[in-house]
Amino acid sequence: MIRLPSPGLWHDHNPPEYSPPVGCSALSDASRYQPQAIEERWQQHWQASAADHTPDPSQAGKTPFYALSMFPYPSGNLHMGHVRNYVITDVIARVQRMRGCNVLHPMGWDAFGLPAENAAIERGVDPGAWTDRNIAAMRAQLQRLGLSIDWSRELATCHSDYYRWTQWLFLQFFEAGLAYQKEATVNWDPIDQTVLANEQVDGEGRSWRSGALVEKRKLRQWFLKITAYADQLLDDLPRLEGWPERVRTMQANWIGRSTGAELEFTVVDGAGNDSAERITVFTTRPDTIFGASYVVLAPEHPLVASLTSADQQIAVEAFCDLVSRQSEQERTADDRPKRGVPIGAQVRNPATGELIPLWIADYVLADYGTGAVMGVPAHDQRDFVFARQYELPVRQVIIPEGSDEHAYEGGAWTEPGVLIHSGRFDGLSSTDAKAAITAAAEAEGWGRAKVTYRLRDWLISRQRYWGCPIPVIHCDSCGVVPVPDEQLPVELPRDVAFSGKGGSPLAQLESWWRVACPCCGQPARRETDTMDTFMCSSWYFLRYSDPHNTVLPFSREAVDSWLPVDQYVGGIEHAILHLLYSRFFTKVLRDRGLVGFDEPFSRLLTQGMVQGITYKNPHTGKYIPPAEVADPTDPRDPSTGDVLEVFYEKMSKSKYNGVDPAVVIDRYGADTARMFILFKAPPEKDLEWDDADVEGQFRFLQRIWRLVDGAHARGIRLGHPGNALDAGSLSPGDKELRRAVHTAITAVSEDLEGELQFNTAVSELMKLSNAMGEHLADASDPVACEALQTLLVLLAPFAPHLAEELWSRLATDSGPMVSVHRQAWPVADGSALVRDTVPLVIQVKGKVRGSLEVPADADRATLEQLALASEIAAKWLEGKAPSRVIVVPGKLVNLVP
RNA sequence: GGGGGCAUGGCGGAAUCGGUAGACGCAGCGGACUUAAAAUCCGCAGACGGCAACGUUGUGGGGGUUCAAGUCCCCCUGCUCCCACCA
């Protein structure tokens, strides 16, 4: 229980200096809503009683609820996207607390990453100190929002008491055989000078961070075997009912499971005899094997060199060279022509026994399936185009059901159908033939059923300094040796020179990497790569459950008591990367016995972007700061006079369309910012920032202030009214007000329970305040008291400072007062919702013709009679009896002539 | 090319199970208060016609189911997001 400052404090204190909100009179008025005068005071008060936001272990009987925002990178600047994210989560946390849950609502910092290192290179600052300064700055900005965060659990991934456990977990993966090194063609970012995971390269082959065109390099790198969990990650998606369909679909696409078969084509030697060499292809259409008229290898396929005939050698080498020099962009261009050359060898089609040529072509990818495909031009559009170009035979083996043949002018027939020219499989459907042919291949030793994934193993090593060191040691005699547990953490050295050249600073620091092998004691070399920052963020939500544990990353008991996260909130940009990696981590840790659940996030809300109004000169392509646009109704470039394009786009410095949260808070207060951002758009949709709307939101809070102020002046104080009110003795105005109050309770509760519709929840609060404006002055004291109390309690999660301030002003002078945030969430009184009469809509032939007021408890027959007797019926039926009457009690009567 | 989502006034957006379309807010208009303005309060407001009562029409377009469709079914168009020479 919290002791509030006495109500008198308000009158005593000196308001800090502030700029009055736009449109506010400069006149000082003691009863005016001045957020600048109250918000900081309450924040300090809440902070002093920190226990308020810390889940209470003594309340173990309460239902635990874990509300989590995706933690930010500490750039040093809070932007509106952060504000939206954390305010949404805060409202959820506050409501659950008022519902009686034991709520965990933590915050931390995703603090490794390149910006700190770049600052070190450019300005010579220490990345750790730079990061800590940013964290302090952002924490202060966050605290101005009035978030009910439990700061005692704060963590930063770059602090060794955290990354020690990232290293420990890495070694768990290593022990399980899920972390390994391999030589691979990987994505190299030439600007950031490091490798990237597939997930960090966009569709155009650009780095997610630097935007540079990614190069392919063959390097030895560390990987996590996420492909071993591909099936689970895919199959568990339908169970994530609290996730947006969109995110689940994106993950399913990314995993990209396809079911088919591997089929083997025996290589035939020059004399026409079968050799020992076989080419294995992957196909999803084993039913079309009888139509395979050639086989194609990727140019990078390992067998290309040995199988190429002498007379094709020059052509093949030239072609491979050409392909390898193509950039990622050229290879994925929209209208890619398919090119290839025969390599002068033949293979035997295992189904027909026929000899068919072996080609290489640029449309076959080395790293998908087996790097080889069978060419079935009649039933695959790519094969069709390729076959037409190089005059390879097109053999139809599938016909559309119910027809004799398919004309090939329009391209290949890729739909399922019925088999022809397929020997003993003729007449089978595609579906049956897939199974039958795969079974035959298996029995006869030329193939097997096979599942292939688009998902690749996760490349986690980075050649950068500011990351979590990979805790292994390379020894010439012992191989890769994990750093022993008692030597963790492997700390990042601080005395490092940042030149920005010559690769990772760690690799240049011999005193750091030269170590003795923990196994044999011989001179050995410490791994100098660090981990992808997504490693650090794949388990932080687990650490919050037990943030100060010094013997384990978290205890099983703590982690199982809080997780899975009940409500996770963050941006859609993590739909694949972070959310997939975290699911993978959780499943591995479950298999290691470290956690007792297999999905980390029960419900997920992906909030939309915050967009700012953007002015662009279509002729010069330049963005114009809004401040330079003189007349927004006729926006023109001040220097050229050109008419500007106006649109909303994600806020960014380069487009001059950003709004600084600090400026908004200075001017209107955090409560207005919170309310506006929740009200302006549904949480999943993009939000268009509009200063006029912010102004409107501020006016709403002012209205509430005046409403409560007026009631206070009338002598209304907090009391114990509510359900004990005797319905019979209430005046019509009282009844009306009570109905509004309890309707609001129902509506706001529903909006916050199911689909999390904060925008309509706020509009319900507005409706309630409108109704109170109408009835409060005449209401009897208990009803007015109930209305005020309910309004403030419902408002508390949204505008915590205002609600607390008004609550404290309504407190009686005697006895301790309990914070509005410690009040129980109200429950609607059904009897207050009951009405004596309800409007009944009269339709004639489905069209609304009017309505009449009828007793609420009237039965169907009565309603029909009332409708038929009404003037409306008389007018529209012209005296004729209707042929049919549909009665929907409580809603309408439809008269059909 | 494959898959997901969306389409409602001048604008952002509401609308449980199919049951009064446009809640709530912004912008706008009219009025009160004021010497005046701001703020505040009251009122109007989809479109078309009408002095009005009222009528017609209306949720991207076209069909359908139903007493009744923004909502369900089929076709089309546009926007948007994800994946993509993935065999």
Side-chain angles (χ1 to χ4, degrees):
Chain A
M1 201 170 285
I2 310 169
R3 265 208 79 99
L4 290 178
S6 77
L9 188 82
W10 163 254
H11 304 286
D12 296 339
H13 99 290
N14 299 312
E17 282 190 358
Y18 72 99
S19 347
V22 168
C24 250
S25 158
L27 288 171
S28 166
D29 180 347
S31 66
R32 185 176 296 277
Y33 171 46
Q34 297 170 341
Q36 300 80 359
I38 62 171
E39 292 190 346
E40 204 184 325
R41 185 162 49 84
W42 282 111
Q43 283 159 18
Q44 282 166 4
H45 177 77
W46 293 329
Q47 211 171 4
S49 54
D52 198 22
H53 299 147
T54 304
D56 185 350
S58 73
Q59 296 177 318
K62 288 180 159 186
T63 312
F65 189 97
Y66 189 174
L68 182 66
S69 303
M70 288 183 185
F71 66 166
Y73 177 79
S75 63
N77 288 305
L78 196 70
H79 57 69
M80 281 300 172
H82 293 126
V83 175
R84 191 175 195 194
N85 194 164
Y86 309 138
V87 166
I88 287 172
T89 312
D90 190 52
V91 172
I92 294 166
R94 286 179 180 278
V95 170
Q96 292 302 332
R97 232 177 256 123
M98 293 170 86
R99 281 235 168 82
C101 288
N102 203 19
V103 173
L104 175 58
H105 181 208
M107 181 59 70
W109 310 96
D110 187 14
F112 274 134
L114 283 171
E117 194 165 342
N118 290 339
I121 294 166
E122 286 157 22
R123 279 168 278 160
V125 295
D126 172 52
W130 183 85
T131 303
D132 285 341
R133 265 203 310 280
N134 284 350
I135 288 175
M138 274 178 89
R139 191 195 299 114
Q141 293 174 60
L142 272 182
Q143 281 167 341
R144 293 193 66 199
L145 287 168
L147 305 174
S148 62
I149 285 169
D150 174 7
W151 288 102
S152 74
R153 291 172 190 255
E154 182 182 5
L155 57 82
T157 57
C158 66
H159 293 161
S160 62
D161 57 357
Y162 181 87
Y163 72 68
R164 175 213 151 119
W165 298 112
T166 308
Q167 293 173 341
W168 189 90
L169 289 168
F170 171 87
L171 293 176
Q172 291 283 311
F173 279 77
F174 184 75
E175 254 176 54
L178 294 169
Y180 66 96
Q181 275 185 296
K182 77 171 176 195
E183 182 94 6
T185 305
V186 297
N187 307 301
W188 176 263
D189 182 330
I191 291 187
D192 283 345
Q193 294 273 306
T194 185
V195 296
L196 296 172
N198 285 337
E199 286 83 350
Q200 292 164 344
V201 180
D202 70 13
E204 287 162 15
R206 290 180 181 277
S207 160
W208 71 296
R209 244 199 53 78
S210 70
L213 274 176
V214 165
E215 297 167 10
K216 290 288 180 190
R217 287 203 184 175
K218 201 144 181 139
L219 292 168
R220 191 166 175 79
Q221 297 292 330
W222 282 96
F223 290 84
L224 291 196
K225 214 181 241 171
I226 191 171
T227 53
Y229 284 77
D231 276 323
Q232 283 184 51
L233 290 168
L234 185 65
D235 294 340
D236 287 349
L237 284 174
R239 284 174 33 206
L240 296 174
E241 284 163 13
W243 283 40
E245 184 62 42
R246 183 151 91 107
V247 176
R248 290 191 281 172
T249 308
M250 282 162 71
Q251 291 208 355
N253 281 344
W254 185 263
I255 295 167
R257 177 162 69 191
S258 47
T259 307
E262 280 184 355
L263 302 177
E264 290 175 1
F265 289 69
T266 304
V267 178
V268 175
D269 66 21
N273 299 314
D274 288 4
S275 74
E277 204 71 75
R278 288 179 164 196
I279 302 289
T280 305
V281 305
F282 173 73
T283 179
T284 55
R285 295 294 303 275
D287 54 317
T288 64
I289 177 76
F290 285 84
S293 51
Y294 61 99
V295 166
V296 198
L297 304 179
E300 301 87 351
H301 195 283
L303 290 177
V304 170
S306 61
L307 294 179
T308 300
S309 69
D311 55 334
Q312 283 301 98
Q313 192 126 12
I314 292 169
V316 166
E317 278 173 13
F319 182 76
C320 290
D321 189 49
L322 179 77
V323 171
S324 71
R325 280 192 285 111
Q326 275 180 342
S327 72
E328 186 84 0
Q329 215 174 13
E330 286 166 325
R331 269 190 96 159
T332 56
D334 265 348
D335 49 345
R336 342 158 228 245
K338 296 177 185 10
R339 286 176 301 188
V341 289
I343 68 167
Q346 288 194 306
V347 294
R348 190 179 298 285
N349 181 325
T352 63
E354 204 180 2
L355 295 186
I356 56 177
L358 194 53
W359 285 63
I360 56 173
D362 57 2
Y363 77 95
V364 178
L365 306 175
D367 62 352
Y368 182 76
T370 60
V373 300
M374 62 182 194
V376 186
H379 304 295
D380 182 282
Q381 187 58 28
R382 291 159 308 196
D383 296 347
F384 182 81
V385 171
F386 191 72
R388 275 285 151 92
Q389 190 173 336
Y390 293 104
E391 294 175 347
L392 291 157
V394 178
R395 181 178 305 148
Q396 183 172 23
V397 292
I398 308 279
I399 48 170
E401 207 157 347
S403 78
D404 293 338
E405 59 182 335
H406 171 67
Y408 283 97
E409 278 64 37
W413 170 259
T414 57
E415 301 296 309
V418 179
L419 272 71
I420 55 167
H421 305 316
S422 298
R424 61 198 149 119
F425 303 104
D426 279 359
L428 288 182
S429 71
S430 290
T431 317
D432 292 344
K434 279 179 189 174
I437 290 175
T438 306
E442 218 149 324
E444 293 160 21
W446 49 272
R448 65 207 67 82
K450 174 76 179 176
V451 176
T452 301
Y453 304 90
R454 213 191 67 89
L455 181 72
R456 293 300 123 82
D457 275 345
W458 174 16
L459 197 176
I460 56 143
S461 43
R462 298 290 181 272
Q463 292 72 53
R464 300 298 304 222
Y465 166 79
W466 191 238
C468 174
I470 295 174
V472 300
I473 288 162
H474 300 276
C475 170
D476 285 342
S477 35
C478 308
V480 176
V481 181
V483 172
D485 195 44
E486 64 275 11
Q487 288 177 28
L488 295 181
V490 175
E491 295 229 29
L492 270 179
R494 301 303 283 259
D495 50 340
V496 179
F498 295 95
S499 61
K501 296 191 193 98
S504 167
L506 293 179
Q508 296 168 47
L509 194 65
E510 192 175 337
S511 63
W512 186 73
W513 58 253
R514 188 179 286 284
V515 288
C517 171
C519 264
C520 65
Q522 294 301 304
R525 190 175 191 282
R526 194 184 281 293
E527 173 65 62
T528 57
D529 281 358
T530 53
M531 296 182 211
D532 181 2
T533 55
F534 281 93
M535 286 285 286
C536 309
S537 58
S538 292
W539 73 280
Y540 77 104
F541 46 91
L542 305 171
R543 180 71 175 174
Y544 283 138
S545 71
D546 196 4
H548 309 297
N549 196 326
T550 54
V551 294
L552 280 173
F554 42 81
S555 76
R556 173 76 188 258
E557 191 197 357
V559 82
D560 284 356
S561 73
W562 284 112
L563 281 103
V565 172
D566 293 280
Q567 180 68 60
Y568 199 25
V569 183
I572 187 75
E573 66 273 17
H574 292 109
I576 295 173
L577 291 159
H578 164 63
L579 291 169
L580 189 64
Y581 295 149
S582 297
R583 295 182 60 220
F584 166 51
F585 255 62
T586 303
K587 288 175 191 302
V588 172
L589 298 186
R590 172 207 59 199
D591 289 346
R592 303 285 294 173
L594 292 165
V595 303
F597 45 91
D598 51 21
E599 284 291 342
F601 314 120
S602 301
R603 299 226 309 167
L604 172 69
L605 172 66
T606 50
Q607 104 262 1
M609 288 185 305
V610 181
Q611 302 181 317
I613 192 157
T614 314
Y615 296 97
K616 186 181 182 182
N617 185 324
H619 306 296
T620 62
K622 281 188 177 144
Y623 292 92
I624 311 296
E628 291 176 19
V629 176
D631 178 7
T633 59
D634 178 30
R636 287 176 182 276
D637 188 324
S639 49
T640 65
D642 291 329
V643 175
L644 299 173
E645 281 181 327
V646 185
F647 50 94
Y648 283 91
E649 200 163 271
K650 184 174 183 174
M651 290 183 176
S652 78
K653 264 186 202 142
S654 60
K655 289 172 185 160
Y656 308 108
N657 61 356
V659 177
D660 184 353
V663 170
V664 177
I665 293 171
D666 286 344
R667 180 172 281 193
Y668 298 104
D671 285 339
T672 294
R674 292 171 61 112
M675 295 283 287
F676 165 75
I677 224 164
L678 293 164
F679 176 65
K680 175 72 186 183
E684 307 247 355
K685 287 195 69 172
D686 289 346
L687 182 154
E688 296 173 357
W689 189 273
D690 179 347
D691 290 335
D693 283 342
V694 180
E695 191 76 41
Q697 201 62 49
F698 182 70
R699 282 201 296 266
F700 170 62
L701 293 184
Q702 276 183 307
R703 247 189 330 267
I704 297 220
W705 182 275
R706 280 195 298 270
L707 201 66
V708 178
D709 197 57
H712 182 264
R714 214 183 105 190
I716 308 275
R717 295 291 181 276
L718 298 181
H720 305 281
N723 300 354
L725 287 167
D726 177 9
S729 65
L730 295 179
S731 70
D734 275 353
K735 276 189 188 170
E736 195 78 11
L737 182 53
R738 284 209 82 212
R739 182 153 56 238
V741 166
H742 290 270
T743 303
I745 293 172
T746 310
V748 174
S749 302
E750 275 174 10
D751 285 341
L752 297 178
E753 259 161 30
E755 293 297 301
L756 297 173
Q757 303 180 68
F758 306 104
N759 53 330
T760 49
V762 173
S763 81
E764 292 298 334
L765 293 174
M766 291 171 167
K767 278 192 219 175
L768 175 57
S769 99
N770 289 344
M772 285 171 69
E774 222 171 300
H775 298 289
L776 199 64
D778 310 319
S780 64
D781 280 4
V783 173
C785 178
E786 181 197 34
L788 285 168
Q789 248 175 257
T790 307
L791 176 68
L792 294 179
V793 169
L794 294 179
L795 184 68
F798 300 89
H801 313 87
L802 175 66
E804 187 82 307
E805 175 68 24
L806 294 175
W807 187 261
S808 77
R809 295 183 115 201
L810 288 181
T812 48
D813 293 335
S814 61
M817 204 208 69
V818 180
S819 161
V820 70
H821 301 295
R822 284 294 175 104
Q823 301 302 311
W825 191 255
V827 178
D829 173 6
S831 72
L833 300 173
V834 174
R835 314 170 63 120
D836 298 335
T837 63
V838 292
L840 180 75
V841 169
I842 309 295
Q843 291 184 342
V844 178
K845 213 182 156 195
K847 282 188 188 292
V848 178
R849 293 302 180 189
S851 72
L852 63 162
E853 204 66 19
V854 299
D857 55 357
D859 60 15
R860 284 170 172 274
T862 315
L863 290 174
E864 181 170 343
Q865 276 174 6
L866 286 166
L868 286 169
S870 68
E871 283 176 28
I872 301 156
K875 177 178 172 189
W876 288 93
L877 292 174
E878 292 164 343
K880 291 175 208 137
S883 63
R884 198 171 160 190
V885 179
I886 289 107
V887 180
V888 184
K891 288 252 158 81
L892 56 80
V893 173
N894 189 6
L895 307 170
V896 187

